[in-house]
Amino acid sequence: MVMCTILQVTSRLARGGLSVQCCQRALYSTQNKTRLYTKKHEWVSVSDNIGTVGISNYAQDALGEVVYVQLPEVGQEIAAGDECGALESVKAAGEVYSPVSGTITEKNTTLESKPALINKSCYEDGWLFRVKLSNMDEVKQLMDQTAYDKYLEEH
Amino acid sequence: MAQAMLKKIATSSACLVVGLTRRSSARTLAIASKNVNSKKEGVLPAEGEITKSVFMSQSNDIYTNLALEDWMYRNMDFTNHHVMMVWRNDPCVVIGRHQNPWLEANVPLVNEMQIALARRNSGGGTVYHDRGNLNITFFTPRERYDRKYNLEIITRALFRGFGVKAVINERQDIIVRDNYKVSGTAAKLGRLTGYHHCTLLVNANKADLSKALAKREHGIQTIATASTRSPVANLSEVNSRVTVDSLQTAVGYEYLRTPALHLEDGGQAHISQQRGFQFVNPTDEWFPGLAELKNELQTWDWNYGRTPVFTVSRAFPVPAQLLAPSEIYSATQELIINMTVEHGLISDVTLNIPPGLIESGFHGEASVITHLKGKRFTSEALNALQDAMLTRHLNTEVRKLDDKEQFVAKCFDQVCCELYCTIIKAVLLNPNCLCTYNTAVERIRGMKMEKQKIVFKVSLHNYLQ
């Protein structure tokens, strides 16, 4: 929480003192500042120690149209990197891994009847589940938007 | 032995030597097998550093082969070593990971014919296997999962070996003669490893295939993945020289002569640099932990219990003699039963009783519903129904259900039995069988429904008329 506040302050300071071009970049990063990525293309956005988890645009595109979603149960304890569900597209079942450790607090039940929402809106309506983080430090090891974009370019 | 070996792998990530071949007794096979935790997300090697093997499973048991596939997926490192495994099974029906067996297969018939029913870990639709069907699994690191490459290997082998022209369609099925499917494809993608497996119909029993997968109208509503039904052909119909053995060899050599990452003919020179064909014996001794994976794949909880939530709805016209005689009804009087089944257990039951049946004095539906909840969607449900019907009459020693209760009970039976157990329906509804509902249930109790081989041919329709 304290960390978040510090980040917000620094980002505000940064925006205030830089040129127009940099302002745009700062603005861009503000939009996505809470969305952090894993190398396996999951994202998590944390507010008040509750993380919302989904898959990135790259991942949904690679998977193709999702036809069935299997999500973890509310109350389930998971560790970062644990297999905690599956997304089935036409002919391939891709495992879902949690980017963070904690307890599942909510799952996106809309996806059960409308799995293709993941393709249409992977960052908004197509979120997968919410998790109460047990270790806030894990978030620091994830990539921000800029780092993730760079990672995608390199791979 | 197995434990010692497991320990050895876990502690030192030493090579697990799996040696067993029929062709050459001295050939041994080294798998760079590491404990799953020690697998690292490293940099992928260049094409030249990758070697290839063709594994030939010596088992014909679907659960063993699926367990072997899962074992390899969990435990082996495919970074520098790509593997193609060929395997075949005794007759079985294999459903996709998120499918409904009651909807995809003719469950009573499959049980009667002793065809195994198995749920696999990969997505996709339902397929039928027998010894006339070749299964091929391609293992690679997840980043190098390439379905198109794998399917091309197969079509190239078909052409090189037999002159059969096969095409890969937009659904990534392999088709011959314009629209006859010979191969179905599915895949599982994990963090480190991805595998793609497919079937190839060579000379499978097409009559049994259609019977086992016969679609029946159940009135089931579900979000489970549905199969796409396609006309199928056997490759032996296209060219009689294609046999499971010759095809296995042809595809194996094609795989070995092709570089790991792009489609090009590397010829004999390339084959000689690979690790070749190896027989593998899927036992717990060679693959520690395999037996446990196999047991898991054989459980009711996995095969039936993992079915995504579904609802069965049926409407039954109420026979005229059960309605209140004094009333005249304008519409057909129908009893409607909805059963919601979650994790294979009945989670909710609703019963819509037509006015005609209520006016004639039917009651007792509430206790029926309470007793059914939480029961397995099998014969257990029927027993619960029986108990529910009798609870109100604990003081009477032997009591027959009245006609109305029998009717409702039979309707329930149909919802359960049609999908699961033919024998109950047979005993209860055979017009020639004079036994009452009670004695029928007595006869059924304690029987293992899964193993029943006897099927009574009866027509529910006749009875209800």
Side-chain angles (χ1 to χ4, degrees):
Chain A
M1 196 56 210
V2 177
M3 194 61 200
C4 280
T5 323
I6 295 169
L7 279 175
Q8 274 170 358
V9 171
T10 45
S11 87
R12 244 177 253 147
L13 282 173
R15 239 185 291 163
L18 289 171
S19 70
V20 179
Q21 196 190 351
C22 288
C23 266
Q24 277 174 344
R25 197 181 294 154
L27 198 65
Y28 179 65
S29 70
T30 307
Q31 281 177 336
N32 302 299
K33 76 171 185 236
T34 51
R35 202 186 300 140
L36 299 162
Y37 297 84
T38 66
K39 283 183 181 171
K40 294 294 170 179
H41 315 288
E42 290 102 14
W43 58 263
V44 57
S45 122
V46 182
S47 73
D48 291 344
N49 88 357
I50 299 285
T52 304
V53 176
I55 63 166
S56 75
N57 189 47
Y58 172 86
Q60 72 78 17
D61 189 54
L63 199 57
E65 191 190 336
V66 180
V67 294
Y68 187 83
V69 180
Q70 181 197 321
L71 296 172
E73 294 301 325
V74 171
Q76 194 179 322
E77 301 263 344
I78 49 166
D82 270 5
E83 203 177 291
C84 60
L87 301 178
E88 182 175 338
S89 68
V90 179
K91 302 208 166 171
E95 303 300 331
V96 174
Y97 299 91
S98 178
V100 289
S101 307
T103 312
I104 305 291
T105 57
E106 200 183 341
K107 58 177 180 174
N108 188 354
T109 46
T110 319
L111 293 179
E112 282 166 8
S113 52
K114 291 177 186 165
L117 267 182
I118 292 172
N119 301 101
K120 287 182 200 119
S121 171
C122 64
Y123 296 125
E124 303 293 333
D125 300 339
W127 62 276
L128 301 178
F129 55 88
R130 297 211 161 96
V131 52
K132 187 175 179 191
L133 273 66
S134 59
N135 181 0
M136 289 298 281
D137 288 346
E138 282 171 355
V139 177
K140 292 178 197 160
Q141 289 157 22
L142 302 174
M143 293 177 278
D144 63 10
Q145 187 74 43
T146 320
Y148 179 66
D149 289 344
K150 198 172 162 222
Y151 173 78
L152 283 183
E153 271 172 38
E154 287 166 0
H155 286 78
Chain B
M1 171 66 189
Q3 276 178 337
M5 197 165 259
L6 183 68
K7 202 175 168 188
K8 199 172 150 194
I9 300 163
T11 51
S12 64
S13 70
C15 286
L16 165 64
V17 180
V18 179
L20 214 82
T21 99
R22 243 186 269 147
R23 281 191 187 165
S24 85
S25 56
R27 179 182 282 158
T28 53
L29 140 75
I31 306 168
S33 175
K34 297 174 184 173
N35 184 284
V36 78
N37 297 325
S38 67
K39 280 211 248 179
K40 288 198 182 92
E41 297 169 44
V43 183
L44 291 167
E47 189 172 49
E49 293 167 39
I50 303 165
T51 55
K52 287 175 149 188
S53 292
V54 176
F55 283 12
M56 292 176 287
S57 169
Q58 289 184 292
S59 172
N60 294 311
D61 174 66
I62 179 63
Y63 302 109
T64 306
N65 281 323
L66 287 177
L68 175 62
E69 214 175 33
D70 197 33
W71 192 97
M72 288 169 67
Y73 164 81
R74 286 165 189 252
N75 298 301
M76 282 176 65
D77 183 352
F78 298 98
T79 313
N80 293 297
H81 181 207
H82 290 190
V83 175
M84 178 182 112
M85 182 168 82
V86 288
W87 44 294
R88 59 188 100 171
N89 297 310
D90 290 328
C92 60
V93 168
V94 187
I95 61 171
R97 173 157 161 180
H98 302 119
Q99 288 201 298
N100 182 325
W102 293 285
L103 199 58
E104 299 296 341
N106 187 339
V107 175
L109 185 91
V110 159
N111 287 341
E112 183 212 344
M113 292 173 70
Q114 291 192 290
I115 296 174
L117 188 138
R119 183 186 297 275
R120 59 173 191 264
N121 265 299
S122 62
T126 301
V127 287
Y128 168 84
H129 296 178
D130 62 19
R131 298 284 189 104
N133 177 74
L134 179 67
N135 300 293
I136 307 180
T137 311
F138 297 90
F139 294 94
T140 57
R142 175 168 182 164
E143 283 79 4
R144 294 202 151 149
Y145 159 79
D146 188 347
R147 209 157 53 182
K148 183 86 173 144
Y149 170 96
N150 302 335
L151 294 173
E152 288 277 358
I153 294 276
I154 294 169
T155 53
R156 286 162 78 110
L158 280 170
F159 191 72
R160 194 189 302 276
F162 311 97
V164 171
K165 287 177 190 158
V167 179
I168 301 162
N169 73 3
E170 74 287 349
R171 289 187 49 79
Q172 308 225 303
D173 293 332
I174 297 177
I175 55 170
V176 294
R177 291 178 171 166
D178 293 338
N179 66 340
Y180 290 94
K181 180 172 170 177
V182 292
S183 169
T185 266
K188 177 172 160 88
L189 306 173
R191 180 168 288 278
L192 301 164
T193 299
Y195 66 79
H196 162 211
H197 51 194
C198 60
T199 55
L200 274 168
L201 291 168
V202 179
N203 54 356
N205 187 331
K206 280 178 19 182
D208 282 353
L209 181 151
S210 340
K211 272 189 268 173
L213 304 184
K215 182 134 183 160
R216 311 193 317 152
E217 284 307 322
H218 293 321
I220 291 182
Q221 292 98 46
T222 178
I223 52 164
T225 318
S227 298
T228 306
R229 281 162 197 272
S230 317
V232 294
N234 274 315
L235 284 162
S236 61
E237 296 163 27
V238 183
N239 181 332
S240 59
R241 283 197 300 122
V242 187
T243 61
V244 173
D245 280 324
S246 64
L247 182 63
Q248 170 176 308
T249 310
V251 178
Y253 276 118
E254 190 67 37
Y255 180 72
L256 295 176
R257 69 191 291 155
T258 312
L261 303 178
H262 72 288
L263 290 160
E264 185 193 283
D265 185 13
Q268 284 297 327
H270 198 268
I271 297 177
S272 64
Q273 291 161 15
Q274 309 307 313
R275 301 199 205 178
F277 288 83
Q278 293 137 29
F279 277 104
V280 291
N281 193 17
T283 58
D284 211 51
E285 201 179 359
W286 296 115
F287 301 93
L290 186 83
E292 204 186 321
L293 293 175
K294 183 188 167 189
N295 288 343
E296 178 65 23
L297 286 165
Q298 285 178 300
T299 58
W300 190 93
D301 284 347
W302 170 255
N303 289 310
Y304 293 95
R306 287 292 292 259
T307 305
V309 61
F310 65 100
T311 305
V312 194
S313 289
R314 305 288 303 197
F316 302 90
V318 182
Q321 67 269 25
L322 296 185
L323 299 173
S326 55
E327 306 280 335
I328 293 161
Y329 301 99
S330 54
T332 318
Q333 296 293 299
E334 281 186 332
L335 176 81
I336 299 164
I337 300 174
N338 291 307
M339 239 185 231
T340 305
V341 185
E342 221 170 324
H343 305 302
L345 305 176
I346 296 165
S347 63
D348 198 17
V349 186
T350 59
L351 193 58
N352 291 336
I353 304 159
L357 205 56
I358 295 173
E359 282 155 22
S360 73
F362 173 79
H363 50 281
E365 67 285 357
S367 67
V368 170
I369 292 165
T370 327
H371 280 74
L372 280 174
K373 277 186 187 170
K375 294 291 183 297
R376 270 188 188 182
F377 185 61
T378 62
S379 53
E380 275 180 38
L382 191 72
N383 290 344
L385 174 73
Q386 159 76 0
D387 292 342
M389 291 296 216
L390 295 178
T391 20
R392 289 178 297 123
H393 308 279
L394 286 174
N395 298 332
T396 46
E397 275 183 15
V398 183
R399 180 194 168 267
K400 284 184 185 177
L401 300 173
D402 70 30
D403 290 347
K404 287 134 203 159
E405 286 170 325
Q406 277 197 48
F407 169 72
V408 175
K410 279 163 194 161
C411 294
F412 266 108
D413 293 343
Q414 206 202 348
V415 178
C416 297
C417 302
E418 259 208 347
L419 301 160
Y420 189 74
C421 171
T422 331
I423 187 167
I424 300 175
K425 187 171 79 180
V427 175
L428 289 175
L429 302 176
N430 187 340
N432 303 323
C433 176
L434 297 173
C435 65
T436 63
Y437 180 79
N438 290 349
T439 55
V441 171
E442 279 311 313
R443 282 169 54 180
I444 293 155
R445 270 197 183 145
M447 286 184 186
K448 279 197 173 170
M449 296 309 167
E450 295 87 346
K451 302 287 176 207
Q452 277 303 339
K453 287 159 215 152
I454 318 150
V455 171
F456 293 73
K457 297 254 160 85
V458 289
S459 162
L460 176 75
H461 188 68
N462 289 346
Y463 178 80
L464 287 176
Q465 276 182 343

